[in-house]
Amino acid sequence: MGIVLGPNQYGKAENRVVRVYRDQPRHVVRDLNVSTALRGDFGDAHTTGDQAHILPTDTQKNTAFAFAKKHGVDEIEDYALVLGRHFLEVPVVTAAQIEVDEYAWERIDVAGQGHDHAFVRKGQELRTTLVIVESGAGEPRATVTSGVKDLVLLKTTGSEFRGFYIDEYTTLQPTDDRIMATSLTARWRYAHLEVEWTKAYDSIRSLVLERFATVYSLALQQTLYEIGRAVLTAHTEVMEMTLVAPNKHHFAVDLSPYGLDNPGEVFIAADRPYGLIQATVLRDDEGQQGSDG
Amino acid sequence: MGIVLGPNQYGKAENRVVRVYRDQPRHVVRDLNVSTALRGDFGDAHTTGDQAHILPTDTQKNTAFAFAKKHGVDEIEDYALVLGRHFLEVPVVTAAQIEVDEYAWERIDVAGQGHDHAFVRKGQELRTTLVIVESGAGEPRATVTSGVKDLVLLKTTGSEFRGFYIDEYTTLQPTDDRIMATSLTARWRYAHLEVEWTKAYDSIRSLVLERFATVYSLALQQTLYEIGRAVLTAHTEVMEMTLVAPNKHHFAVDLSPYGLDNPGEVFIAADRPYGLIQATVLRDDEGQQGSDG
Amino acid sequence: MGIVLGPNQYGKAENRVVRVYRDQPRHVVRDLNVSTALRGDFGDAHTTGDQAHILPTDTQKNTAFAFAKKHGVDEIEDYALVLGRHFLEVPVVTAAQIEVDEYAWERIDVAGQGHDHAFVRKGQELRTTLVIVESGAGEPRATVTSGVKDLVLLKTTGSEFRGFYIDEYTTLQPTDDRIMATSLTARWRYAHLEVEWTKAYDSIRSLVLERFATVYSLALQQTLYEIGRAVLTAHTEVMEMTLVAPNKHHFAVDLSPYGLDNPGEVFIAADRPYGLIQATVLRDDEGQQGSDG
Amino acid sequence: MGIVLGPNQYGKAENRVVRVYRDQPRHVVRDLNVSTALRGDFGDAHTTGDQAHILPTDTQKNTAFAFAKKHGVDEIEDYALVLGRHFLEVPVVTAAQIEVDEYAWERIDVAGQGHDHAFVRKGQELRTTLVIVESGAGEPRATVTSGVKDLVLLKTTGSEFRGFYIDEYTTLQPTDDRIMATSLTARWRYAHLEVEWTKAYDSIRSLVLERFATVYSLALQQTLYEIGRAVLTAHTEVMEMTLVAPNKHHFAVDLSPYGLDNPGEVFIAADRPYGLIQATVLRDDEGQQGSDG
């Protein structure tokens, strides 16, 4: 029974690419964290140390920066696609994976007007995309999965948790009114590439917020499902949505030792442990596994 | 030559107090990180282990949560003041220091309206206050120093750095156009307690942003000074302002090896090392060392 | 085309379980970070909000702590197995995944002897295990994948990188002597459960270190492969090993502007970007997909 | 009442300087995080933007790396002293502050021998120094304050907390047996520069560990004081020691709902809030404020 190389990939992670558009007085800034990874027949690099087929991670970095100039960064999805397709031209590479996180900035308000070239970071959430370009019979095939990361949400009522399974280790009391809070990470896979990326992103992000706010929650699971269902219903170009949600617990503090009642007014926000809920919502007859090339 | 106990203090750090106001359909949420520390004659606790004068840090925690109910958290400055004055009543305590960081939330927009009880985290910056209440002759004396932490700013032009001192280890080229970026922490000490805290905070934060945006910068030092000067000029209730600003370097990437020019369009954002500029701006004839009790 | 629930799981993450054995004067401490996750038919919880089949994450937490007393934490693998098998008894649960990270402590040395009950944290690396228990036809089936996380390694010579593929974006110069450094995460899957876990862990960790040290490296890929090959050769109970290694770049600093040469003596350690190399080494005729139940 | 510039300083923070000694087959590696800061009359840089007296932080960085070659890094204290004295030669500079954290590495063990050029990170604690060189009448004056950071300690018994002050918000029960754990940061100021730095460091670190282990603790305050007293007693060259210790709480878990007792065996390690104890121990007749120049 021999020993062999199994799945492997390599690349350059977390290239902090900042692109400024300054051909107009009103500058635009795109602030990205770009990670690239290549897959293919890199057996020799591992087993004999022969690097003849290895495009250095340093070159991948150079390319990420060069393409920010050459092709621009209008939308992170398009930037990732052109980068992925480029790497697929390297001999022996069979798949390129490009991951981009974008930090948002908003113009500083000066006398009621957004300033031309001064910005303040907006939120802690990130807009993300994960693009995979693969070779195969015919044209390369591209899959675009975009998302939002670290969208921190909280509702102060409209959330219950009851009727759950009880065993000998259960001490939790059912509640019909609690704080529900999470730092949501969502990713959605597009059926094809004929998408107005930013318009879709804005619309999906709004839907996520709106569903979180207005769905009366019987559990975090149900809220996540309702978010996914709403997005897939409104966006036919989305094939599936995956949601990862830590349940950031807020425990009501017992103030009775000090003669105070606490009808849902004072909470301690806990760090660890936290619930962790993960769910994918998808179309039930998905004939199509990825986006078109 | 004997060995003795010198300066010391103890307290409970990072109490994550969340206060919900729900007596109206439109809920309000205040999300705080509260740290308390006490100073006084705690020699015995250290030298003999006698804890008779030690109010446990656990009790300090309980008090922080109880006061969020009993006295509310309308403004972090007032909440910290009432907490600090309370601790000063403990025997042997001569000073109480209360530090509060507040996380901002904004209402989720649903159909053009802010939702009643659903919120999304707003920015990564924190509003802060540091309150010290000290005993002395007469009434306890309180000093309020408020601020903003992690205000991430960037301007894509309007910043130069030239004419600096050159020695044998200097390789930096002067520049008349660069990206200037920082994650600003600012604190300002109030002369007295007759302040509308939130109104003052909003106004000072706006001034900080406005100065950062519109001052043509000859160096980060000059920008900081201009910010401090503007705040002290507009706010007579502020006695001094301290600014701590990492210079978050953005280096223009050399794209010439690939036949591309780079007129200030593509940058790499560096993590470490970073410049670190610290400055205090104050009134030159300050007869008053702190806020009134 | 309908919308349905896809893959999902839920659990309690990062339970910080600390277990002290104190029945002998010489105490033993086990310091764990335990995450549990359950899979099964939880469709109703998502689609209708009916939680009848949901064992709360709070109960999972309780069980993790209770089992640390009831069954002890002699080896993290055995603790995870008993926890996983227990959760599989919950109706509708078809798989339980238990992840344990263990922090190492060593006894404080007092006069040449390890102290009975005082400890200092040893290293920043973690010993890990990931246990999955699944139902099926017959007995539940368990898979144990153990590992080490954040093992920070550095060699000051004995590493080259040359002969790589060159394209128009390549500026990297080949080198025959560089610093190689990484923060290694390795996981290895056991063929069965008849393993002396700690003995195996210690032996595999030693092999990893020994291979990193003594293999003359032609690339990080080759070093990872040699590590995997050595482990699978020496440990017939290991079926596959996955290695994830950031290439923590150390760049030689150009000191020539100050009239100093730098023959591999002064480096700057960079944070981002970093190379990221991932590889799996496995047996080529693996008839067995997991560990036995 | 005018507005003026108050205290200010600037420098380059977190230069990750790695120095390899390779003139012998047995390499030595010193892995540092170096921060420099300058004080002096930099008023113009702030008020008019004139940078004529500003040595760029980029130059400070260059110097930190160049000096690692030119003067070596045998001991972090000596390296910091030479760097600080150098910066004091820059016109208008009146004080230079050099802060160095050192990461520890140990040789990888291969067949019972430490390897010549392969290393594994040892512990998460850092050895630190803070050197301030100031001009004045006569020779510059240097103060060396060395220390250890993030020394994570835990004892499973031998710690009580009782007899404390009780008020209306106190719910804590006294205990005569608890886990005591902390992540200690200690700094000690030397009286002069005639010190064998590494020998002193090793001895002080051992004393800290020994005192933590063997002092029966009536409170964390008492343990800190005993550590300080022991160090000042044994090391006449140390003038004062400051200790900062978060009380990393470990709460015994109530297992009675599951019919299990818990005599100090199962704990949950909490993240926040934490107690925070700070104390300085010093000589009572200190005629000397700093180290000699």
Side-chain angles (χ1 to χ4, degrees):
Chain A
M1 190 159 70
I3 293 166
V4 296
L5 180 67
N8 63 90
Q9 68 176 28
Y10 78 102
K12 194 68 120 194
E14 305 206 31
N15 295 283
R16 291 283 288 104
V17 176
V18 178
R19 177 64 160 98
V20 177
Y21 289 91
R22 51 194 303 158
D23 43 338
Q24 305 285 340
R26 199 161 181 78
H27 289 192
V28 172
V29 63
R30 312 301 302 267
D31 186 2
L32 314 181
N33 198 6
V34 180
S35 298
T36 63
L38 307 184
R39 292 192 280 270
D41 180 8
F42 302 120
D44 286 350
H46 293 80
T47 57
T48 71
D50 178 353
Q51 304 299 311
H53 293 133
I54 292 290
L55 184 77
T57 66
D58 187 77
T59 304
Q60 295 179 40
K61 176 193 71 175
N62 290 346
T63 312
F65 284 96
F67 274 37
K69 167 67 179 172
K70 198 171 176 182
H71 303 282
V73 186
D74 190 27
E75 307 247 26
I76 55 174
E77 287 83 357
D78 289 330
Y79 167 76
L81 280 164
V82 72
L83 205 47
R85 284 172 181 143
H86 167 81
F87 287 130
L88 212 64
E89 290 163 20
V90 177
V92 323
V93 171
T94 57
Q97 174 180 302
I98 314 298
E99 212 166 345
V100 183
D101 291 353
E102 180 171 14
Y103 305 93
W105 294 89
E106 62 184 346
R107 294 179 188 283
I108 288 177
D109 182 90
V110 177
Q113 296 257 321
H115 194 271
D116 272 352
H117 61 255
F119 303 85
V120 57
R121 266 285 293 281
K122 185 186 173 185
Q124 54 185 10
E125 74 195 64
L126 305 176
R127 176 177 166 182
T128 68
T129 197
L130 171 73
V131 168
I132 296 175
V133 186
E134 291 166 289
S135 62
E139 287 294 291
R141 178 182 184 75
T143 309
V144 176
T145 305
S146 293
V148 64
K149 195 149 70 179
D150 298 333
L151 184 63
V152 183
L153 304 172
L154 177 147
K155 58 196 294 185
T156 52
T157 189
S159 166
E160 66 178 46
F161 187 56
R162 51 169 56 252
F164 42 77
Y165 182 79
I166 291 172
D167 74 3
E168 61 184 302
Y169 296 102
T170 304
T171 57
L172 186 73
Q173 295 304 306
T175 176
D176 55 9
D177 192 4
R178 59 170 186 174
I179 284 189
M180 189 166 77
T182 191
S183 175
L184 186 69
T185 294
R187 288 186 180 274
W188 50 88
R189 180 167 57 80
Y190 290 108
H192 53 77
L193 309 183
E194 307 308 307
V195 175
E196 292 179 75
W197 307 114
T198 297
K199 196 174 155 194
Y201 174 82
D202 289 342
S203 167
I204 292 170
R205 184 183 177 282
S206 289
L207 259 177
V208 169
L209 291 178
E210 187 271 339
R211 287 286 82 192
F212 177 83
T214 60
V215 169
Y216 181 85
S217 179
L218 300 170
L220 190 42
Q221 278 92 331
Q222 184 225 11
T223 296
L224 297 184
Y225 182 75
E226 285 302 314
I227 289 171
R229 198 165 68 98
V231 169
L232 268 70
T233 301
H235 288 267
T236 56
E237 75 279 23
V238 173
M239 295 308 285
E240 69 176 328
M241 185 177 202
T242 296
L243 301 121
V244 177
N247 194 339
K248 295 168 77 87
H249 305 302
H250 287 67
F251 297 109
V253 178
D254 178 11
L255 303 177
S256 62
Y258 333 121
L260 300 167
D261 62 342
N262 183 13
E265 295 178 321
V266 179
F267 298 84
I268 181 166
D271 296 310
R272 294 194 293 184
Y274 49 90
L276 184 57
I277 318 297
Q278 298 166 270
T280 297
V281 183
L282 43 76
R283 301 191 187 281
D284 66 353
D285 178 26
E286 213 210 303
Q288 205 169 357
Q289 284 293 324
S291 321
D292 285 325
Chain B
M1 191 159 71
I3 294 166
V4 295
L5 180 67
N8 64 89
Q9 68 176 29
Y10 78 100
K12 193 68 120 193
E14 303 207 34
N15 296 283
R16 291 284 288 104
V17 177
V18 178
R19 177 63 160 99
V20 178
Y21 289 91
R22 50 193 304 158
D23 43 338
Q24 305 284 342
R26 198 160 181 79
H27 289 192
V28 172
V29 63
R30 312 299 303 267
D31 185 4
L32 314 180
N33 198 5
V34 180
S35 298
T36 63
L38 307 184
R39 291 193 280 270
D41 179 9
F42 302 120
D44 286 350
H46 293 80
T47 56
T48 70
D50 178 352
Q51 304 300 308
H53 293 134
I54 293 289
L55 184 75
T57 65
D58 188 77
T59 303
Q60 296 179 40
K61 176 192 73 175
N62 289 347
T63 312
F65 284 97
F67 274 36
K69 167 67 180 171
K70 198 171 175 182
H71 302 281
V73 186
D74 190 26
E75 307 247 27
I76 55 174
E77 286 84 358
D78 289 329
Y79 167 75
L81 280 164
V82 71
L83 206 47
R85 284 172 181 144
H86 168 81
F87 287 131
L88 212 63
E89 292 164 18
V90 177
V92 323
V93 171
T94 57
Q97 173 179 303
I98 314 295
E99 211 166 347
V100 183
D101 291 352
E102 179 170 14
Y103 306 93
W105 293 89
E106 64 185 342
R107 294 181 187 281
I108 289 176
D109 181 89
V110 176
Q113 297 257 321
H115 194 272
D116 272 352
H117 61 257
F119 304 85
V120 57
R121 267 285 294 278
K122 184 186 174 185
Q124 53 184 10
E125 74 194 64
L126 305 176
R127 175 177 167 182
T128 68
T129 197
L130 171 72
V131 168
I132 297 175
V133 185
E134 291 166 289
S135 62
E139 286 295 291
R141 177 181 185 75
T143 310
V144 176
T145 305
S146 293
V148 63
K149 192 148 74 177
D150 299 333
L151 183 63
V152 183
L153 304 171
L154 179 148
K155 58 196 295 186
T156 53
T157 190
S159 165
E160 66 179 46
F161 187 57
R162 52 169 56 252
F164 43 77
Y165 181 78
I166 291 173
D167 74 3
E168 62 184 301
Y169 296 103
T170 304
T171 57
L172 186 74
Q173 295 304 306
T175 177
D176 57 7
D177 193 4
R178 59 171 185 172
I179 284 188
M180 190 167 76
T182 190
S183 174
L184 186 68
T185 295
R187 288 186 180 274
W188 49 90
R189 181 166 57 81
Y190 289 108
H192 53 76
L193 310 183
E194 307 307 307
V195 176
E196 292 178 74
W197 308 114
T198 297
K199 197 175 154 194
Y201 174 81
D202 289 341
S203 167
I204 292 170
R205 183 183 177 281
S206 289
L207 260 177
V208 169
L209 291 178
E210 188 272 338
R211 287 286 85 191
F212 178 83
T214 60
V215 169
Y216 181 86
S217 179
L218 301 170
L220 190 42
Q221 278 92 329
Q222 182 225 13
T223 296
L224 297 185
Y225 182 75
E226 285 302 314
I227 288 172
R229 199 165 67 98
V231 169
L232 268 68
T233 302
H235 288 267
T236 55
E237 75 278 24
V238 173
M239 294 309 285
E240 69 176 327
M241 186 178 201
T242 297
L243 301 120
V244 178
N247 194 340
K248 295 167 77 85
H249 304 303
H250 287 67
F251 297 109
V253 178
D254 178 11
L255 303 177
S256 63
Y258 335 119
L260 299 167
D261 62 342
N262 183 14
E265 294 178 322
V266 179
F267 298 85
I268 181 166
D271 296 310
R272 295 193 293 186
Y274 50 91
L276 184 58
I277 318 299
Q278 297 167 269
T280 296
V281 183
L282 43 76
R283 301 192 188 281
D284 66 354
D285 179 24
E286 213 210 305
Q288 206 167 356
Q289 284 294 323
S291 321
D292 286 324
Chain C
M1 193 158 69
I3 292 167
V4 295
L5 179 66
N8 64 90
Q9 68 176 29
Y10 78 101
K12 193 69 120 193
E14 303 207 32
N15 296 282
R16 292 284 288 103
V17 177
V18 178
R19 176 64 160 96
V20 178
Y21 289 91
R22 51 193 305 157
D23 42 338
Q24 304 285 341
R26 199 160 181 79
H27 289 191
V28 172
V29 62
R30 313 300 303 269
D31 185 4
L32 314 181
N33 198 5
V34 180
S35 297
T36 63
L38 306 184
R39 292 193 279 271
D41 179 8
F42 301 120
D44 286 350
H46 294 81
T47 56
T48 70
D50 177 353
Q51 304 298 310
H53 292 133
I54 292 289
L55 184 75
T57 66
D58 187 76
T59 304
Q60 296 179 40
K61 176 193 73 176
N62 289 347
T63 312
F65 284 97
F67 274 37
K69 166 66 180 171
K70 198 172 176 182
H71 302 281
V73 186
D74 190 27
E75 309 246 27
I76 55 175
E77 287 84 357
D78 289 330
Y79 167 76
L81 280 164
V82 71
L83 206 47
R85 285 174 181 142
H86 168 81
F87 287 130
L88 212 64
E89 290 164 18
V90 177
V92 323
V93 171
T94 56
Q97 174 180 304
I98 314 296
E99 213 166 347
V100 183
D101 291 352
E102 180 171 13
Y103 305 92
W105 294 89
E106 62 185 346
R107 294 179 187 282
I108 289 177
D109 182 89
V110 177
Q113 298 256 319
H115 195 272
D116 272 353
H117 60 256
F119 303 86
V120 56
R121 267 286 294 279
K122 185 186 174 185
Q124 55 184 10
E125 74 195 64
L126 304 176
R127 175 176 167 184
T128 68
T129 197
L130 172 72
V131 168
I132 297 175
V133 185
E134 291 167 289
S135 61
E139 286 295 291
R141 179 181 184 75
T143 309
V144 176
T145 304
S146 293
V148 62
K149 193 149 73 178
D150 299 333
L151 184 63
V152 183
L153 303 171
L154 178 147
K155 57 196 296 185
T156 53
T157 189
S159 165
E160 66 177 47
F161 187 56
R162 52 168 56 252
F164 43 76
Y165 182 80
I166 291 171
D167 74 2
E168 63 184 300
Y169 296 103
T170 303
T171 56
L172 185 73
Q173 294 305 306
T175 177
D176 56 8
D177 193 6
R178 61 170 184 172
I179 285 189
M180 188 166 77
T182 190
S183 174
L184 185 69
T185 294
R187 287 187 180 274
W188 48 89
R189 180 167 57 80
Y190 289 109
H192 53 77
L193 309 183
E194 307 307 307
V195 175
E196 292 179 73
W197 307 115
T198 297
K199 198 175 153 192
Y201 175 80
D202 289 341
S203 167
I204 292 170
R205 183 182 178 282
S206 290
L207 260 176
V208 169
L209 291 178
E210 188 271 339
R211 286 287 81 191
F212 178 81
T214 60
V215 169
Y216 181 87
S217 180
L218 300 170
L220 190 42
Q221 279 91 330
Q222 183 225 11
T223 295
L224 297 184
Y225 181 75
E226 285 301 314
I227 289 171
R229 198 165 68 98
V231 169
L232 268 69
T233 301
H235 287 267
T236 56
E237 76 277 23
V238 173
M239 294 309 286
E240 69 176 327
M241 186 177 200
T242 296
L243 301 121
V244 177
N247 194 340
K248 294 168 78 85
H249 304 303
H250 288 67
F251 297 109
V253 178
D254 178 12
L255 304 177
S256 62
Y258 334 120
L260 299 167
D261 63 342
N262 183 13
E265 294 178 321
V266 178
F267 298 85
I268 181 166
D271 295 311
R272 294 192 294 183
Y274 50 91
L276 185 57
I277 318 297
Q278 298 167 269
T280 297
V281 183
L282 43 75
R283 301 191 188 280
D284 66 352
D285 178 25
E286 213 211 304
Q288 207 168 355
Q289 283 294 324
S291 322
D292 287 324
Chain D
M1 192 159 68
I3 294 167
V4 295
L5 180 65
N8 64 88
Q9 68 176 29
Y10 78 101
K12 193 68 121 193
E14 304 207 33
N15 296 283
R16 291 283 289 106
V17 176
V18 178
R19 176 65 159 95
V20 178
Y21 290 92
R22 50 192 305 157
D23 42 338
Q24 305 285 341
R26 198 160 182 79
H27 289 191
V28 172
V29 63
R30 312 300 303 269
D31 186 3
L32 313 180
N33 198 6
V34 180
S35 297
T36 64
L38 307 184
R39 291 192 281 269
D41 179 8
F42 302 120
D44 287 350
H46 293 81
T47 57
T48 71
D50 178 352
Q51 304 299 310
H53 293 134
I54 292 289
L55 184 75
T57 66
D58 188 76
T59 304
Q60 296 180 39
K61 176 193 72 175
N62 289 347
T63 312
F65 284 97
F67 274 35
K69 167 68 179 169
K70 198 172 177 182
H71 301 282
V73 186
D74 190 26
E75 307 247 28
I76 56 174
E77 286 83 359
D78 289 329
Y79 167 77
L81 280 164
V82 71
L83 206 46
R85 284 173 181 142
H86 167 81
F87 288 130
L88 212 63
E89 291 164 19
V90 176
V92 322
V93 171
T94 56
Q97 172 180 304
I98 314 296
E99 210 166 349
V100 183
D101 291 351
E102 179 171 14
Y103 305 93
W105 294 88
E106 63 184 344
R107 295 181 187 280
I108 289 177
D109 181 89
V110 176
Q113 297 255 322
H115 195 272
D116 271 353
H117 61 256
F119 303 85
V120 56
R121 267 285 294 279
K122 184 186 174 185
Q124 54 184 11
E125 73 194 64
L126 305 176
R127 175 177 167 182
T128 68
T129 197
L130 172 72
V131 168
I132 297 174
V133 186
E134 291 167 289
S135 62
E139 286 296 290
R141 177 182 185 76
T143 309
V144 176
T145 305
S146 293
V148 62
K149 192 149 73 178
D150 299 334
L151 182 64
V152 183
L153 303 172
L154 178 147
K155 58 196 296 185
T156 53
T157 190
S159 166
E160 65 178 46
F161 188 56
R162 54 168 56 251
F164 42 76
Y165 182 78
I166 290 173
D167 75 1
E168 62 184 300
Y169 296 103
T170 303
T171 57
L172 186 73
Q173 295 304 306
T175 176
D176 56 8
D177 192 5
R178 60 171 186 173
I179 284 188
M180 189 167 77
T182 191
S183 175
L184 186 69
T185 294
R187 287 186 181 273
W188 49 90
R189 180 167 56 80
Y190 289 108
H192 53 77
L193 308 182
E194 306 308 307
V195 176
E196 292 178 75
W197 307 114
T198 297
K199 198 175 153 193
Y201 174 81
D202 289 341
S203 167
I204 292 170
R205 184 183 178 280
S206 289
L207 260 176
V208 169
L209 291 179
E210 189 271 339
R211 287 286 83 191
F212 178 82
T214 60
V215 169
Y216 181 86
S217 179
L218 300 170
L220 190 42
Q221 278 92 329
Q222 183 225 12
T223 296
L224 297 184
Y225 181 74
E226 285 301 314
I227 288 172
R229 198 165 66 98
V231 168
L232 267 70
T233 301
H235 287 267
T236 56
E237 76 278 24
V238 173
M239 293 310 285
E240 70 176 325
M241 186 178 201
T242 296
L243 301 121
V244 178
N247 194 339
K248 295 167 77 86
H249 304 303
H250 287 67
F251 297 109
V253 178
D254 178 12
L255 303 177
S256 62
Y258 334 121
L260 299 168
D261 62 342
N262 183 14
E265 294 178 321
V266 179
F267 298 85
I268 182 166
D271 296 309
R272 293 193 294 187
Y274 50 91
L276 186 56
I277 318 297
Q278 297 167 269
T280 296
V281 183
L282 43 75
R283 301 191 189 281
D284 65 354
D285 178 24
E286 215 210 303
Q288 206 168 358
Q289 284 293 324
S291 321
D292 287 322

